Amino acid sequence: MHHATALAHPNIAFIKYWGDLDPCLRLPANGSLSMNLDGLETRTQVSFDAALPADSLSVNGQEVSGAGLARVSELLERVRQRAGMRLPARVESENNFPMGAGIASSASAFAALALAASHAAGLRLSEAELSRLARTGSGSACRSVPGGFVEWQAGQQDEESYAFSIAAPEHWRLVDCIVLVSQAHKLVGSTEGHALALTSPLQAGRVADAPRRLDICRRAVCERDFAALAEVVELDSNLMHAVMITSTPPLFYWQPATLAVMRAVQAWRAQGLPACYTIDAGPNVHVLCPEEAVGEVASRLRRLKGVKQVLTVAPGGAARLAG
């Protein structure tokens, strides 16, 4: 039996990935930029074992079959081909945060799976190779392989499409206040959503302007310029959701409390409190602020109607092997 265990963090995208050039390889329509989320993690153990009848998967102690297992098996198959082995695998994965609610559980899941499976199979992949492997399971997973603040270069083909760190976690003590307004599993997952992006007449414009937004965001992170970050992050999030709500069929992820948080954050910033929002494919809101403002921002968020919980999270490190 060959086994390994790995840990990876989910990430929050400042510049979003939405829509694919190649859905099979998950090559994105545009480059993106994100921050790993410390304290939230997926822990995954992979055991290749000749005694197993087939691949199997458990998530948080529950057996998973069907599409979820098939997606994991597809990544395991890439690892087996590369390692020249045929053994089935048992995959056991656990998250310490809610899944399918817009906290990028598939990102941390496939980053941890890529590292654990490749290591268990005897492969020693570079960070770029690991990032590419994770990307084939879930696009945003490629950004959970490197640490801290991470850029995913879109690329035109598999070899060019991977993520790398542009700044270490300690470079900027930003905090992500994750505002949970719903812990329900979303009805339409990101994979299905990406396929709808091109049905929106706004997607082409969003993608065409993405390199400009990426440049502004990269510079804001490198220079720790919160005012510049706030403006571009909110614009980029709004653009992605504009594409979602103008797709066929339209995707409406926001709930009344989502909009209440967005409006409150913009009002606070106008009054001088540094905070900005970004929202992934789900109703929950990520409110970013500098570390020194987190006490005030989090306490104001908790007082808003419809807010169930606020998690405060610092920048997180790279995917890593566990003992």
Side-chain angles (χ1 to χ4, degrees):
M1 191 163 91
H2 312 271
H3 60 86
T5 303
L7 298 166
H9 301 293
N11 64 74
I12 178 62
F14 297 169
I15 301 295
K16 306 294 192 189
Y17 153 51
W18 195 250
D20 291 312
L21 279 182
D22 180 333
C24 294
L25 286 173
R26 297 181 196 266
L27 297 179
N30 62 276
S32 56
L33 202 153
S34 63
M35 178 180 101
N36 283 357
L37 302 176
D38 195 35
L40 307 184
E41 61 188 26
T42 300
R43 182 187 186 95
T44 299
Q45 181 175 47
V46 176
S47 308
F48 289 104
D49 188 348
L52 293 167
D55 291 338
S56 64
L57 168 66
S58 79
V59 177
N60 293 339
Q62 302 285 312
E63 288 302 308
V64 176
S65 57
L69 174 59
R71 202 166 154 188
V72 163
S73 281
E74 208 174 294
L75 190 139
L76 291 171
E77 198 48 45
R78 290 178 192 274
V79 170
R80 282 188 284 253
Q81 284 178 354
R82 194 155 179 172
M85 64 185 278
R86 300 288 342 125
L87 301 177
R90 170 72 178 157
V91 177
E92 294 171 284
S93 192
E94 291 190 357
N95 295 306
N96 68 354
F97 59 93
M99 294 163 55
I103 314 185
S105 52
S106 67
S108 51
F110 281 95
L113 178 66
L115 179 54
S118 58
H119 212 81
L123 299 173
R124 299 298 177 261
L125 304 182
S126 68
E127 186 180 84
E129 288 172 321
L130 268 176
S131 178
R132 282 168 47 207
L133 176 61
R135 187 201 75 230
T136 63
S138 167
S140 54
C142 77
R143 297 191 308 241
S144 282
V145 171
F149 299 87
V150 174
E151 181 172 342
W152 174 13
Q153 66 178 26
Q156 296 289 311
Q157 54 205 23
D158 176 49
E159 292 74 27
E160 302 167 348
S161 189
Y162 60 90
F164 49 88
S165 176
I166 60 164
E170 54 276 10
H171 164 73
W172 194 6
R173 300 309 293 172
L174 269 187
V175 175
D176 180 5
C177 301
I178 304 171
V179 184
L180 298 175
V181 300
S182 166
Q183 293 199 13
H185 216 286
K186 58 197 180 195
L187 294 174
V188 179
S190 300
T191 298
E192 297 91 335
H194 287 295
L196 298 177
L198 276 173
T199 67
S200 165
L202 304 184
Q203 172 72 347
R206 188 192 77 87
V207 170
D209 185 59
R212 182 189 71 89
R213 299 192 304 279
L214 198 53
D215 284 345
I216 293 168
C217 189
R218 187 190 304 113
R219 193 174 315 124
V221 168
C222 292
E223 296 174 2
R224 296 187 283 265
D225 181 342
F226 188 81
L229 182 82
E231 206 167 299
V232 76
V233 161
E234 288 186 359
L235 170 64
D236 196 85
S237 177
N238 293 347
L239 280 166
M240 179 177 74
H241 285 271
V243 167
M244 291 170 172
I245 63 179
T246 52
S247 295
T248 306
L251 298 175
F252 292 100
Y253 285 116
W254 297 352
Q255 292 180 4
T258 310
L259 196 56
V261 172
M262 293 161 66
R263 296 179 78 153
V265 167
Q266 287 197 318
W268 300 340
R269 192 163 75 254
Q271 295 156 10
L273 182 65
C276 67
Y277 66 78
T278 185
I279 304 160
D280 278 346
N284 298 318
V285 188
H286 295 255
V287 178
L288 306 169
C289 65
E291 190 177 46
E292 58 272 18
V294 70
E296 179 66 20
V297 171
S299 71
R300 287 193 191 190
L301 288 167
R302 289 186 179 107
R303 293 199 292 269
L304 293 177
K305 190 181 171 200
V307 170
K308 294 183 172 151
Q309 195 183 350
V310 178
L311 309 172
T312 58
V313 181
R320 65 194 189 278
L321 291 165

